[in-house]
Amino acid sequence: MAFRHRQEIDTLPSYKQGKPAPRVEGRRSFKISSNENPFNPLPSVKAAIADQALGVINRYPDMRGWSVVERLADETGVKVENIQLGCGSTEVITQLVNLVAGKGDEVVYPWRSFEAYPIIVTTAGATSVQVPLTAGGSHDIDAMIAAVNEHTRLVIVNNPNNPTSTSVSDGEVRRLLESVPKDVLVLIDEAYVQFNTDACTCVGMDMFREYPNVVVAQTFSKAYGLAGLRIGYAIGPEDVIDGMRKVALPFGVSAAAQAAAVASLDAYDELADRVNTLIAERNRVVSRLREQGWVIPEPDANFFWLPLDRRTDRIARYFEDAGLAVRVFSGEGIRITIGEREANDLVIDVCARIHSIAYPEALSV
């Protein structure tokens, strides 16, 4: 850059949105590169947006989002003072980092994990401490504990982890919380919590109720299918939530997003059916791929991870040629989102072809 600016920004990669579906002549293509819900919005949610939001787009939205906050308070059994909204869970995480960390401070998180973490931390002026995952793609809790020092202001647990889809157990998180100083916050990022079927998984709200330094982040983007409207929330101690409000983007959550969130909570049973369908599809696809010989970490989100190391880029071309946009992490692996049944069947077929024709050595990971 030719103008004066913060030099550390030059070191950051830009956040990359999932690629659109590739165009393949004579074939339907699918975008499974972003962890979106493939189902169309519920009619009741669309009606709520039209009835409550479209007629007032000339007005600023309720900055506190009281209709959503009060409803979430009822749903979770916490006080409204414990809840903060944002433009997706990414924005509430940004609020939290901006509140607690700046120059000279450190934020500890697993890596590879959510790609926005290093961007958020560096933008705040703080330093990322990236703790490598285990060989199986899970959080290395002992290494995360060892990374905490006098400069640490926040520790992030991503459960399930994105992109590896692995779950963090209740016992692991308790061990972390017992080891971290009580004045260091621990964020439990649960963007995919509704898809987590691990019986031993950490439940963020349990940790929030038992430990005074826990913040939980969730979103309406995934299970509720509101990714395009951008609304998420944090639940945390009152003083933390109060601080997050001070650094929040004013009027960041639109009236349409607020109306859709409440309507989605009203339609939870319908949405739960969709979640269960996606979980069943995830299990079906992963089971079929394991039968083919693929080594896949046990998934607990609406996506799964193919750890491919140096084979990643060349194997990714097979998906693109078949009309599938997948999330490629060069030199590491491929994340595949569960989509429509037709897309999932195509994933199974492509993986079988890779195994039988192209790169059988890719299975030895």
Side-chain angles (χ1 to χ4, degrees):
M1 298 182 189
F3 54 89
R4 299 178 186 179
H5 65 284
R6 293 167 53 195
Q7 298 298 315
E8 63 267 29
I9 302 301
D10 295 340
T11 67
L12 281 176
S14 298
Y15 186 90
K16 295 180 180 179
Q17 186 173 6
K19 289 184 177 180
R23 294 184 178 182
V24 178
E25 187 175 351
R27 181 191 292 271
R28 183 185 177 191
S29 297
F30 298 92
K31 179 191 176 188
I32 50 175
S33 54
S34 298
N35 295 328
E36 300 160 332
N37 192 315
F39 294 103
N40 291 329
L42 290 175
S44 61
V45 174
K46 292 194 292 185
I49 295 171
D51 293 344
Q52 301 172 37
L54 293 185
V56 293
I57 58 174
N58 58 312
R59 304 291 185 184
Y60 287 113
D62 173 11
M63 195 165 75
R64 185 72 172 91
W66 282 113
S67 62
V68 185
V69 168
E70 290 174 348
R71 179 61 182 275
L72 288 171
D74 289 340
E75 294 279 342
T76 59
V78 304
K79 297 186 292 185
V80 294
E81 291 83 3
N82 294 120
I83 301 174
Q84 168 66 359
L85 300 184
C87 300
S89 56
T90 302
E91 207 244 322
V92 295
I93 295 169
T94 303
Q95 294 171 16
L96 181 60
V97 173
N98 285 337
L99 170 64
V100 302
K103 185 176 181 179
D105 299 327
E106 296 180 352
V107 177
V108 175
Y109 54 86
W111 195 255
R112 174 167 295 274
S113 193
F114 182 34
E115 292 165 90
Y117 291 157
I119 297 172
I120 293 169
V121 173
T122 301
T123 302
T127 299
S128 289
V129 179
Q130 299 179 341
V131 179
L133 299 173
T134 67
S138 298
H139 287 48
D140 187 335
I141 294 297
D142 289 333
M144 291 179 70
I145 292 171
V148 175
N149 59 38
E150 67 273 16
H151 302 292
T152 306
R153 296 295 178 268
L154 180 68
V155 179
I156 302 177
V157 174
N158 189 206
N159 189 34
N161 186 57
N162 176 14
T164 58
S165 198
T166 52
S167 177
V168 189
S169 74
D170 178 271
E172 288 175 318
V173 176
R174 289 183 186 277
R175 184 152 50 87
L176 174 69
L177 287 165
E178 293 295 336
S179 302
V180 168
K182 300 309 177 189
D183 59 351
V184 171
L185 290 175
V186 175
L187 169 67
I188 303 176
D189 181 0
E190 293 185 322
Y192 306 93
V193 63
Q194 292 87 356
F195 301 97
N196 193 340
T197 55
D198 182 354
C200 297
T201 193
C202 164
V203 177
M205 288 305 298
D206 289 348
M207 301 298 108
F208 167 74
R209 293 186 175 96
E210 295 182 41
Y211 293 88
N213 57 332
V214 169
V215 179
V216 179
Q218 295 191 9
T219 183
F220 285 92
S221 295
K222 316 302 181 186
Y224 293 95
L226 302 183
L229 286 177
R230 312 308 302 131
I231 179 167
Y233 59 95
I235 295 177
E238 289 183 39
D239 56 343
V240 174
I241 296 299
D242 182 61
M244 290 172 64
R245 285 201 298 271
K246 294 176 181 179
V247 298
L249 176 69
F251 306 109
V253 181
S254 69
Q258 294 178 38
V262 174
S264 295
L265 291 168
D266 289 339
Y268 182 79
D269 289 344
E270 287 181 85
L271 291 168
D273 288 340
R274 293 181 168 192
V275 168
N276 290 334
T277 297
L278 291 172
I279 290 172
E281 276 293 279
R282 177 194 73 198
N283 294 344
R284 180 180 74 90
V285 173
V286 170
S287 177
R288 292 287 299 277
L289 265 57
R290 285 173 172 164
E291 289 172 2
Q292 294 173 6
W294 294 90
V295 177
I296 301 171
E298 189 64 34
D300 281 297
N302 65 332
F303 56 89
F304 63 93
W305 174 246
L306 292 179
L308 298 168
D309 300 326
R310 59 183 174 79
R311 297 161 286 244
T312 297
D313 292 330
R314 52 182 174 168
I315 287 179
R317 291 197 293 269
Y318 279 81
F319 291 100
E320 184 172 359
D321 291 345
L324 294 169
V326 295
R327 188 70 161 201
V328 179
F329 297 85
S330 184
E332 297 181 60
I334 295 174
R335 189 192 71 195
I336 299 177
T337 304
I338 298 300
E340 302 90 333
R341 175 108 183 180
E342 185 179 350
N344 302 333
D345 286 341
L346 186 54
V347 168
I348 294 170
D349 291 343
V350 171
C351 285
R353 185 154 57 91
I354 293 170
H355 175 228
S356 62
I357 299 175
Y359 298 108
E361 74 275 14
L363 307 179
S364 303
V365 296

